[in-house]
Amino acid sequence: MSPQPFRRLRPRPSPRTPRRRVLTRAVLAASLGLGALTAAVAGVPAGAATRTDSDVPPDPSTTAGPTFWVDPFSAAAKQVASWKREGRSGDARLIERIAGRPQAVWLAGSGSAVDVRTHVEAAAKAGRTPVFVAYFVPHRDCGSYSSGGARDAADYRRWVDGVAAAIGTRSAYVIVEPDAVPHLVAGCPGAAATERHALLAYAVDRLKRQPHAKVYLDAGNAGWVPDERRLVDPLRRSGIARADGFALNVSNYETNKVSSDYGHRLVKALGGGKHFVIDSSRNGNGPYKGGDEAWCNPPGRALGTPPTSRTGDPALDAYLWVKRPGESDGTCRGGPKAGQWWPEYALDLARRARA
């Protein structure tokens, strides 16, 4: 039997601004502060975490890929500003370890196209690449903490069309539907496999029509479907051939080493040629070993390798923070609803960070 699958956070709505010109002015101002913030983060001394193989240093000799977009209006950035006003400068500095780093924007509702356009335009002005998560497939999360999604197949296709059109000719990374394929392997009542495969393939195809979009179909994590061969047929039916590759460890805690080894095995099982990305947002201490729902707000975790496209591995395109550190996995272990900002948990992750 497969281990208990991790569940996905319910993405928070992307930050909204009433007028695009307001965002432009704010981004220009915020980018100056974020530049200083990012530099400060890089010099933060090591935290209290025990070193694990998640702390894989990027290879500086590797040809640089894109530089990813830092959202100046993230919940973490707002928390930094709030705590500075309250005189909690030490805690604010810790949260800067999150706020100063690129994180994915989760797209999960009818306003997603507007959010995408806002972020790609702001990122382009800064010469950066945003990371998006398409998370709107019908029967999302199989009725668990992040349940929801499109009403039906037609609604989902329209939604994908809007997201793709909003990306346009801009550069973007897109993670397609976390959990959607592994849930079919593990079992997902209510989700018809034929329809889901077709919808995922449609999303991959439509997004890849954008000339500068890199598209990664989610493939779960090494602890969920340990035998990677079980994913091969579902991924093929879901359009992996047209995707740039697949995403691993989204919202989970498997180490970089475990995830990378698993990724290389899956590439081989697929016949070679595919690339992958790893979510390293919270895997600094590896997975939690105690209690039920080990995937849900586990204690003692730490921020992982900061986002970078310099991985030292030609098949590994990037370490990304797909899950936004500090946003709850769900109403477990005292956490708020999935996707809501939880400052106490964020602080705990940041205290244990090594970089």
Side-chain angles (χ1 to χ4, degrees):
M1 179 180 294
S2 298
Q4 172 67 35
F6 67 86
R7 304 298 185 194
R8 186 70 47 241
L9 66 95
R10 183 186 299 277
R12 67 172 180 83
S14 297
R16 300 295 190 113
T17 51
R19 294 289 186 270
R20 198 165 296 148
R21 63 177 179 271
V22 174
L23 174 62
T24 302
R25 290 198 301 268
V27 167
L28 290 173
S31 63
L32 298 175
L34 279 170
L37 185 154
T38 303
V41 166
V44 173
T50 301
R51 186 180 182 87
T52 73
D53 57 8
S54 283
D55 196 25
V56 176
D59 182 353
S61 67
T62 305
T63 302
T67 301
F68 298 111
W69 166 242
V70 178
D71 178 6
F73 306 112
S74 69
K78 293 174 182 177
Q79 190 70 71
V80 168
S82 174
W83 279 351
K84 283 183 175 179
R85 289 193 300 269
E86 295 171 13
R88 295 177 60 177
S89 57
D91 289 343
R93 282 194 297 272
L94 286 171
I95 298 301
E96 284 174 352
R97 298 181 180 186
I98 299 172
R101 288 178 172 144
Q103 300 161 54
V105 177
W106 288 67
L107 310 171
S110 58
S112 294
V114 175
D115 291 335
V116 169
R117 191 170 295 109
T118 297
H119 284 278
V120 295
E121 290 180 358
K125 290 180 187 297
R128 303 291 180 97
T129 296
V131 179
F132 297 109
V133 182
Y135 195 52
F136 198 53
V137 73
H139 306 290
R140 184 180 66 204
D141 204 28
C142 296
S144 190
Y145 291 120
S146 296
S147 60
R151 293 188 303 274
D152 53 33
D155 186 36
Y156 184 71
R157 290 189 180 96
R158 285 191 295 270
W159 181 84
V160 169
D161 290 344
V163 168
I167 292 172
T169 60
R170 303 295 195 185
S171 172
Y173 274 40
V174 186
I175 312 301
V176 175
E177 299 298 342
D179 294 359
V181 170
H183 264 147
L184 291 178
V185 175
C188 181
T194 300
E195 178 185 79
R196 176 164 289 190
H197 289 314
L199 291 178
L200 295 174
Y202 180 86
V204 170
D205 287 342
R206 181 64 186 86
L207 290 163
K208 281 304 297 177
R209 284 166 52 188
Q210 309 314 123
H212 301 296
K214 297 199 72 172
V215 179
Y216 299 88
L217 187 58
D218 184 75
N221 68 77
W224 188 351
V225 184
D227 183 355
E228 69 283 348
R229 294 170 296 181
R230 296 178 64 202
L231 288 166
V232 171
D233 184 61
L235 285 171
R236 286 175 175 163
R237 293 186 183 190
S238 300
I240 191 66
R242 277 88 66 198
D244 292 278
F246 53 87
L248 293 174
N249 203 48
V250 172
S251 293
N252 210 259
Y253 302 86
E254 297 291 345
T255 66
N256 289 347
K257 177 64 164 57
V258 167
S259 297
S260 180
D261 288 349
Y262 186 82
H264 282 284
R265 295 198 305 271
L266 183 52
V267 167
K268 183 177 180 180
L270 288 166
K274 288 300 170 185
H275 291 213
F276 58 97
V277 295
I278 292 173
D279 183 357
S280 58
S281 58
R282 306 183 298 175
N283 69 351
N285 274 345
Y288 182 58
K289 301 297 185 182
D292 296 330
E293 295 192 326
W295 49 268
C296 192
N297 300 325
R301 302 309 90 198
L303 300 176
T305 301
T308 181
S309 56
R310 291 191 171 209
T311 68
D313 181 339
L316 175 55
D317 285 348
Y319 294 110
L320 302 174
W321 283 9
V322 183
K323 165 75 175 185
R324 289 179 169 242
E327 292 186 359
S328 177
D329 291 317
T331 52
C332 59
R333 296 187 171 89
K337 291 181 179 180
Q340 290 189 6
W341 173 251
W342 187 6
E344 293 81 7
Y345 196 78
L347 204 55
D348 202 44
L349 290 169
R351 283 195 182 104
R352 293 180 170 83
R354 288 176 298 279

